[in-house]
Amino acid sequence: MSKVAAKENEPAAVIAKRKPLKIVLLLFVFLVAGSVFTRLVQLYWPSIKHQLYTSEALYQTSNPQLQALFSQEVEQKGVMRLGWQDLLPEQEAATLRQYQSGNDTSDLSPTQIGTVQSITNQLLLSIQASSDENYISALHSTNIVHTILGKAISISGFIVPIEVNEDRTLQSFFVVPYYGACIHLPPPPPNQIVFVQLPDGFAHHNLADAFTLTGILEQGMFEDPLGTSAYILNVFDIEAYHGQPDDFRAH
């Protein structure tokens, strides 16, 4: 008897049993595909959204020396897109990630987050952080990544005003990874703050808006009551940014 004939002669009860199994398998496939799609959206939507909403430059330098230097660097090596973790030395990034990236709930199911177990884990992690000398040191570190210095880069973040011109344009400011840093929240480590000075002034600033700044990155300490920066960015242009700039900390 051929396989086709045998299949046709299968009892109806056997066929009926197979239908729920197929439905379960299909539901499982859709569930996995949905989870993967959701994760991809979470990871890449800010970048996609930024591309969709990219607008004309809100600021562009009038400094001919900076224009020439930036154009030369772009022609030779292009523009390096940096995330905030790229500003951190590798060891310090690992130390900060241990306490600031939500690892305390990584072993919990969604239903366990916010429970007594989750809160206990967070308290234990906080206690461990307060006695970890490497973590305390990383919170105040001025160590930088030398391989990104002198390059044409772009980075997105929020603005913290320092000096304001008479016409209320910004003459100098910090760029920070998340909203409220240095103002409503404690400042990030110095190697997570970038100092910017604009002789022309920047008129489109808003504390709640994120911006993408492009220019030449340098090492340079700048201290202010609001915070201390370990990097200086000679800004070529500024554009609006739509999304969450911080790719390092859990928010």
Side-chain angles (χ1 to χ4, degrees):
M1 183 181 294
S2 68
K3 291 183 179 180
V4 175
K7 190 173 182 179
E8 290 177 351
N9 293 329
E10 283 182 344
V14 175
I15 297 174
K17 287 180 180 179
R18 287 181 177 175
K19 286 184 178 180
L21 180 59
K22 289 182 179 179
I23 293 173
V24 171
L25 288 174
L26 284 173
L27 288 174
F28 178 75
V29 170
F30 282 124
L31 181 62
V32 171
S35 299
V36 172
F37 178 75
T38 301
R39 182 58 179 162
L40 290 174
V41 168
Q42 290 175 342
L43 287 173
Y44 296 110
W45 174 242
S47 298
I48 295 172
K49 190 176 181 181
H50 173 59
Q51 295 298 326
L52 291 175
Y53 286 91
T54 297
S55 57
E56 293 183 1
L58 301 175
Y59 168 90
Q60 192 166 74
T61 183
S62 60
N63 184 328
Q65 288 80 18
L66 178 57
Q67 291 175 347
L69 177 61
F70 183 81
S71 298
Q72 180 182 356
E73 187 66 27
V74 171
E75 184 178 349
Q76 293 178 354
K77 301 175 184 177
V79 177
M80 181 186 301
R81 173 65 180 170
L82 295 182
W84 287 93
Q85 62 180 337
D86 298 321
L87 304 184
L88 291 166
E90 185 176 344
Q91 185 56 51
E92 291 182 8
T95 300
L96 291 171
R97 188 179 295 112
Q98 178 181 353
Y99 298 107
Q100 295 185 358
S101 297
N103 291 341
D104 55 309
T105 59
S106 60
D107 58 343
L108 302 179
S109 68
T111 57
Q112 290 176 307
I113 296 176
T115 62
V116 172
Q117 182 180 358
S118 172
I119 295 172
T120 300
N121 284 3
Q122 293 176 24
L123 288 174
L124 291 174
L125 196 69
S126 297
I127 294 171
Q128 183 182 349
S130 65
S131 60
D132 188 332
E133 293 183 1
N134 291 330
Y135 178 65
I136 296 171
S137 176
L139 288 178
H140 304 90
S141 175
T142 58
N143 296 325
I144 60 166
V145 179
H146 291 274
T147 55
I148 59 177
L149 299 179
K151 307 288 180 64
I153 67 98
S154 70
I155 190 167
S156 301
F158 293 90
I159 285 176
V160 177
I162 296 176
E163 289 185 272
V164 180
N165 295 317
E166 292 183 0
D167 59 0
R168 303 196 64 78
T169 59
L170 285 185
Q171 184 180 33
S172 63
F173 54 88
F174 286 140
V175 183
V176 294
Y178 49 89
Y179 174 69
C182 303
I183 299 177
H184 306 298
L185 299 170
N191 54 15
Q192 289 286 273
I193 301 179
V194 177
F195 176 70
V196 171
Q197 191 162 26
L198 301 179
D200 303 330
F202 181 50
H204 301 276
H205 56 91
N206 187 324
L207 296 182
D209 293 339
F211 299 90
T212 295
L213 297 90
T214 304
I216 304 296
L217 190 66
E218 295 181 356
Q219 178 182 10
M221 293 283 295
F222 182 86
E223 297 184 64
D224 184 83
L226 292 173
T228 300
S229 64
Y231 290 98
I232 293 175
L233 183 63
N234 298 308
V235 172
F236 177 77
D237 66 24
I238 302 176
E239 295 181 358
Y241 179 83
H242 303 273
Q244 172 53 258
D246 193 359
D247 61 340
F248 185 67
R249 281 149 287 267
H251 293 279

